[in-house]
Amino acid sequence: MGRIINHFNLGKSHEAYFVCPEVHREYFQSVSRILEVQMAVKCRVFCYDSETLTEGMRKNLKSSRNVIFVLTEGAVEKAAAEDYDGLRKTYAYVWHTNPHSLSLMSVNEYHVNYDIQYPEDMVSFKWLHRKKFDLKNTSAEDMAEELYGELRYNFPQREKRKLERLAEYGRGTYARIYEKARGGLLGALFCEIGVLAVFLILQFTELGRGDAALPLSLLAAVLGSVALGIISYLVMSCLYLRDRLMDVSVLFGDFRRRITQRLAVIFGIGLWVGMWALFLQLVNYADANKAPLVPVTIYIFASVIVLTAAQLVKVSLMLNTVYVSYHYVNFCERRPAVQRAFLIVYAVVAAAIAVGAFIVY
């Protein structure tokens, strides 16, 4: 069954497949590129007379929301007469696994003969509607524009506007989000390293027992607060940018933006307070369990620094992914590779933190 496309999963699944003969491959690949680059409709072309219906292709056809069969002179008659014809095998598979996705397109003034005795796996040819196009007089741009209206015809108007905003502003907005996050994480990482450095100076040098102890302690508290503030701000501002991208409200757009801003500020302050409370709770837990506070504090700061550094690398890679992707769907296809790689990284970091906590406590 074809997957439902929305603004959450746009670009992850195929929205349309063109099943055509090899002679029309170049034309429909041009149509597919226009739909994908300009309108964020993920499309592919399958030539039934020159390609094999592999397991991967079967999976794609089964999950595609639209499968458009391009009918040319003699192709249907040949498919109805031959059991192992490529068009017949492909059509039969889609009819049995994803029937609601089927569409027919008759090209170059070809008219299918309704007197054909269709086999059981092609009998739906008798009643399925056929769009008619003259490829010689229809440019790829005009075809893409026509098909776009058909492919998105049944979408709710609000969802359709969201998809259009992603097509136009999606890649640029994510570039802004990752640029902001990279700069902020660099600042947070600098502050975190500064806090750890000041703490080490206070614990292992003579400055920690002289007149400089109080100013250094205040400096560490300020750097820690700034680091947590930066992270809180990044979370709320990046979420706000994403929300602005998806804001398609006509009547209540300004009201929604103001509400979102206030909620983001409240969320950021709550996150900042929560992280400070968690840090103090960890220190109190260590003190109550007679754990040495110096190694516990060093361990906490080192863990935070490692996590921030990992997130900084990830954001930098995601920013590079945005830059090398030449449209939004291409970005959606590249993004999961980075996400999967960092799931492994975070799992290793989490395991290291857990082992460290066991040793320290």
Side-chain angles (χ1 to χ4, degrees), residues 12-84:
K12 295 181 180 179
S13 301
H14 292 91
E15 199 166 342
Y17 246 97
F18 296 105
V19 180
C20 66
E22 179 66 32
V23 67
H24 293 315
R25 178 194 290 273
E26 185 176 346
Y27 180 89
F28 283 100
Q29 279 185 335
S30 297
V31 174
S32 177
R33 279 194 296 270
I34 294 168
L35 282 168
E36 193 165 289
V37 173
Q38 299 180 15
M39 305 167 191
V41 178
K42 186 174 182 178
C43 299
R44 292 295 182 271
V45 175
F46 174 68
C47 295
Y48 59 80
D49 56 351
S50 62
E51 296 182 64
T52 304
L53 196 60
T54 62
E55 191 60 35
M57 184 59 64
R58 288 173 182 268
K59 182 179 179 181
N60 290 341
L61 291 173
K62 183 178 180 180
S63 63
S64 179
R65 184 178 175 87
N66 301 278
V67 182
I68 304 170
F69 282 83
V70 179
L71 309 179
T72 57
E73 187 70 38
V76 178
E77 291 82 354
K78 182 174 180 291
E82 300 179 8
D83 292 342
Y84 298 100

Side-chain angles (χ1 to χ4, degrees), residues 295-296 299-300 303 346-361:
V296 168
Y299 163 74
I300 292 172
S303 300
Y346 291 138
V348 172
V349 171
I353 291 174
V355 171
F358 179 77
I359 293 173
V360 171
Y361 290 114

Side-chain angles (χ1 to χ4, degrees), residues 283-325:
V283 172
N284 292 334
Y285 177 82
D287 187 35
N289 288 272
K290 307 302 181 183
L293 286 178
V294 173
V296 168
T297 307
I298 293 174
Y299 163 74
I300 292 172
F301 282 126
S303 300
V304 171
I305 289 170
V306 170
L307 287 170
T308 305
Q311 187 67 14
L312 176 60
V313 174
K314 177 185 175 181
V315 166
S316 299
L317 289 175
M318 293 300 290
L319 182 59
N320 182 69
T321 302
V322 175
Y323 286 151
V324 299
S325 303

